[in-house]
């Protein structure tokens, strides 16, 4: 995508005023500490793209070496970022839920690791530059965490939050 392009990275719902969908979106926004529904719609678009890719690969002839190679690459990418487990096959992509995508966000992983008391606090810590991944400061809450990076998420050593006695630190961390 070229710089300055005005391409949206998500699709808005076709029917904007459906009470059930709206309440479901509100609960997801609250549970994962998202800033707004746009972040949820981006995750839904990402999930839609994964499913589309899986359907395309499943529809291709299995005898083609290139198709099999593409399928293996696609599965390895999803396994690397932790969306699929090691034993999952291509058809498991079609059964993915939006929560599978949202659980891999840096904001959620930092909260689950106990670096923050709430997902909203985790978001604040990330945006304010208190969280590092592999020693590098990451200030994007929607950063997708690889499985290999999960253990290297910590407070920045120069951050006041690196002190275990800081009042904003999560209990027991």
């Amino acid at each position: 995508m070229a710089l300055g392009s005005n391409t949206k990275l998500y699709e808005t719902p076709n029917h904007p005023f459906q009470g059930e969908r709206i309440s479901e979106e509100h609960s997801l926004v609250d549970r994962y500490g998202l800033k707004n529904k746009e972040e949820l719609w981006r995750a839904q678009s990402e999930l839609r793209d994964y499913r589309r890719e899986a359907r395309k690969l499943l529809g291709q002839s299995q005898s083609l070496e290139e198709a099999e190679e593409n399928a293996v690459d696609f599965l390895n990418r999803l396994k690397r970022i932790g969306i699929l487990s090691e034993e999952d096959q291509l058809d498991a992509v079609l059964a993915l839920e939006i929560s599978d995508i949202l659980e891999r966000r840096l904001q959620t992983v930092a909260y689950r690791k106990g670096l923050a008391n709430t997902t909203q606090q985790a978001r604040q810590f990330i945006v304010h530059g208190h969280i590092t991944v592999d020693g590098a400061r990451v200030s994007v809450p929607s950063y997708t965490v690889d499985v290999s990076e999960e253990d290297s998420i910590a407070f920045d050593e120069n951050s006041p939050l690196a002190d275990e006695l800081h009042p904003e630190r999560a209990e027991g961390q």
Side-chain angles (χ1 to χ4, degrees), residues 5-162:
S5 65
N6 292 327
T7 305
K8 285 197 309 188
L9 300 174
Y10 61 92
E11 293 178 27
T12 57
N14 290 334
H15 302 283
F17 303 109
Q18 291 175 322
E20 187 175 313
R21 181 191 50 76
I22 290 172
S23 64
E24 187 177 309
E25 286 178 347
H26 278 300
S27 71
L28 285 170
V29 167
D30 288 342
R31 184 172 355 139
Y32 290 101
L34 306 178
K35 180 179 175 187
N36 52 36
K37 287 186 183 176
E38 180 181 319
E39 290 189 329
L40 178 64
W41 295 336
R42 280 188 190 159
Q44 287 171 336
S45 292
E46 186 179 340
L47 177 60
R48 195 176 305 117
D49 292 343
Y50 291 152
R51 287 181 178 157
R52 186 176 296 133
E53 179 74 15
R55 281 193 307 272
K56 185 181 107 188
L57 291 169
L58 283 168
Q60 290 178 345
S61 172
Q62 295 301 323
S63 62
L64 292 174
E65 270 185 40
E66 187 177 330
E68 287 185 27
E69 193 174 303
N70 289 342
V72 168
D73 290 344
F74 177 63
L75 284 173
N76 287 338
R77 183 172 42 132
L78 293 181
K79 290 174 183 177
R80 188 188 75 236
I81 59 178
I83 292 176
L84 291 179
S85 62
E86 285 301 319
E87 62 275 353
D88 283 338
Q89 296 300 318
L90 194 55
D91 55 350
V93 176
L94 301 177
L96 289 175
E97 297 290 328
I98 188 68
S99 60
D100 297 322
I101 305 290
L102 295 172
E103 285 290 333
R104 299 309 306 161
R105 290 168 51 97
L106 176 60
Q107 176 179 355
T108 308
V109 174
Y111 168 68
R112 299 271 188 253
K113 275 193 74 162
L115 297 178
N117 294 319
T118 64
T119 52
Q120 289 84 358
Q121 188 182 45
R123 179 185 193 87
Q124 184 181 32
F125 288 170
I126 293 165
V127 169
H128 290 201
H130 296 296
I131 305 288
T132 61
V133 178
D134 275 340
R137 188 177 287 178
V138 178
S139 60
V140 181
S142 64
Y143 174 82
T144 304
V145 179
D146 284 1
V147 173
S148 60
E149 296 173 330
E150 210 167 320
D151 294 333
S152 65
I153 296 173
F155 286 113
D156 186 3
E157 61 187 31
N158 298 326
S159 167
L161 292 166

